[in-house]
Amino acid sequence: MTHLVFELAPTALTTAQHTLAPYAVAHQNAHALTVAKLKGCTLTLYASGKLLIQGSQAQAVAADLGFMEMAEQASSKNTAISNSTRPTATGQPSNQLSLIGSDEVGNGSYFGGLAVVASYVTPSDHTWLRQLGVGDSKTLTDQKIRQIAPLLEEKIPHKALLLTPKKYNQVVGEGLRHNAVSVKVALHNQAIFLLLQEVSEPEAIVIDAFTSESNYRKYLRQEVNQFHQPISLIQKAESQYLAVAASSIIARKLFLDNLDSLSQQIGLTLPSGAGTASDKVASQILARFGQDGLTQVAKWHFKNTQKAYNLLKKR
């Protein structure tokens, strides 16, 4: 989905409202002056002076309503729109927006749960986040994650959800309610839904992409809790948006804490990932505790389960 962001001067707000008036629709956005619909696009004019246009025809709509011309004029006069937020054709939300960013950790690990976190970050948070060293959790050591995450948890509004292996195995698998993709849709949707109840209306919502937008929408129809704000699924979003990066770090700590807790419960060190080390530990768990023991700490539908059984037979 394409996003265009215009930062209008106060004197341009009235003009923008009049322009959008014929297409205005009822809305529940407490921070918006006007919400309009045109050619499948949603146009949101905020009291702050920002105009957000979302939809595949965003550029065409902006041109039809004169906002592209306004941007060109402002570019030369440096008044109506700032260079940092000038609309582009990247198809991604601007970093200058207030964002909810959501990410998950544990999806590729055989042992441990699935952690999903949604965080609300505004541009005023960016300096502090960068000074803290916030970035993609995959590029940070576990020690650094454990140092940063508590600070983020304290300052950044967020919602964290953990699906333990026991619960995961009750809902994910053949003949069960979810598959490996639909369960992530459910968790992301719920985390964002809960966060929206507590924070100001974000100007965009970004999820680190794990499936196509059409697939996401298909599974989303199964969810009871819904929200009206559009989302953007963006590849490697954790390296592009600080809101997603913050969520990635908090989720990584939640996953690590759960893995440590499960290791203590089972009496074995559970490795992260889904490699041969996981196969060996799983076979040991099967030998000591059987299937019931393994389903308490591992995602049963992974191929590692069959590999663990194969190793057990060779003993």
Side-chain angles (χ1 to χ4, degrees):
M1 178 181 291
T2 299
H3 291 66
L4 296 183
V5 182
F6 297 83
E7 191 166 339
L8 306 178
T11 54
L13 285 180
T14 301
T15 300
Q17 281 184 281
H18 286 312
T19 300
L20 296 176
Y23 316 102
V25 296
H27 65 92
Q28 299 176 338
N29 190 331
H31 302 277
L33 296 175
T34 305
V35 175
K37 299 281 188 179
L38 180 63
K39 294 184 178 179
C41 293
T42 299
L43 301 90
T44 306
L45 179 64
Y46 292 93
S48 64
K50 288 180 181 176
L51 172 64
L52 175 64
I53 306 179
Q54 300 165 294
S56 60
Q57 299 298 312
Q59 286 189 311
V61 169
D64 290 346
L65 296 181
F67 290 117
M68 295 301 284
E69 182 179 355
M70 183 188 299
E72 292 173 0
Q73 293 174 352
S75 177
S76 61
K77 297 179 181 179
N78 196 29
T79 54
I81 185 169
S82 67
N83 291 332
S84 62
T85 56
R86 190 176 304 164
T88 65
T90 61
Q92 298 187 186
S94 166
N95 256 314
Q96 300 304 314
L97 300 174
S98 61
L99 284 169
I100 284 181
S102 190
D103 200 5
E104 84 276 344
V105 174
N107 176 63
S109 180
Y110 180 54
F111 291 113
L114 177 59
V116 171
V117 175
S119 300
Y120 177 74
V121 170
T122 69
S124 63
D125 297 315
H126 287 186
T127 299
W128 178 76
L129 289 171
R130 291 194 179 98
Q131 290 174 346
L132 197 61
V134 170
D136 178 9
S137 69
K138 299 181 186 66
T139 68
L140 301 175
T141 65
D142 288 348
Q143 181 181 5
K144 189 67 173 178
I145 292 288
R146 295 185 189 277
Q147 291 174 349
I148 293 177
L151 301 176
L152 296 175
E153 290 171 332
E154 181 179 353
K155 182 171 181 178
I156 300 299
H158 68 282
K159 284 295 176 182
L161 301 177
L162 175 70
L163 192 64
T164 65
K166 180 180 179 179
K167 183 64 176 177
Y168 184 97
N169 293 324
Q170 292 173 353
V171 299
V172 180
E174 188 175 353
L176 298 177
R177 177 181 176 183
H178 288 292
N179 59 40
V181 175
S182 69
V183 73
K184 287 189 286 185
V185 172
L187 289 169
H188 279 283
N189 179 71
Q190 182 67 2
I192 295 168
F193 176 83
L194 292 174
L195 185 55
L196 284 169
Q197 313 309 305
E198 300 181 2
V199 300
S200 300
E201 185 91 6
E203 295 169 291
I205 298 174
V206 175
I207 299 175
D208 189 40
F210 56 88
T211 189
S212 66
E213 287 197 18
S214 60
N215 214 27
Y216 189 97
R217 288 193 296 270
K218 178 183 73 173
Y219 290 125
L220 187 61
R221 288 194 288 269
Q222 303 173 11
E223 298 305 307
V224 175
N225 292 329
Q226 300 278 339
F227 50 87
H228 67 274
Q229 295 90 337
I231 63 167
S232 295
L233 294 169
I234 296 177
Q235 295 285 344
K236 298 182 179 179
E238 72 280 358
S239 63
Q240 303 175 61
Y241 296 94
L242 288 171
V244 180
S247 291
S248 178
I249 290 171
I250 297 172
R252 179 66 181 174
K253 180 179 179 294
L254 183 58
F255 168 78
L256 292 172
D257 288 348
N258 178 244
L259 198 63
D260 288 347
S261 176
L262 294 172
S263 295
Q264 293 176 6
Q265 292 176 28
I266 205 74
L268 291 166
T269 300
L270 303 175
S272 178
T276 56
S278 296
D279 302 339
K280 293 177 182 178
V281 173
S283 68
Q284 294 173 8
I285 294 173
L286 285 172
R288 295 187 193 181
F289 308 106
Q291 177 178 326
D292 288 345
L294 189 56
T295 56
Q296 300 298 308
V297 297
K299 302 178 183 72
W300 185 257
H301 72 87
F302 274 40
K303 293 181 179 179
N304 301 80
T305 300
Q306 186 57 52
K307 293 178 181 179
Y309 272 112
N310 292 339
L311 288 175
L312 189 60
K313 292 177 182 177
K314 294 180 182 179
R315 288 191 171 192

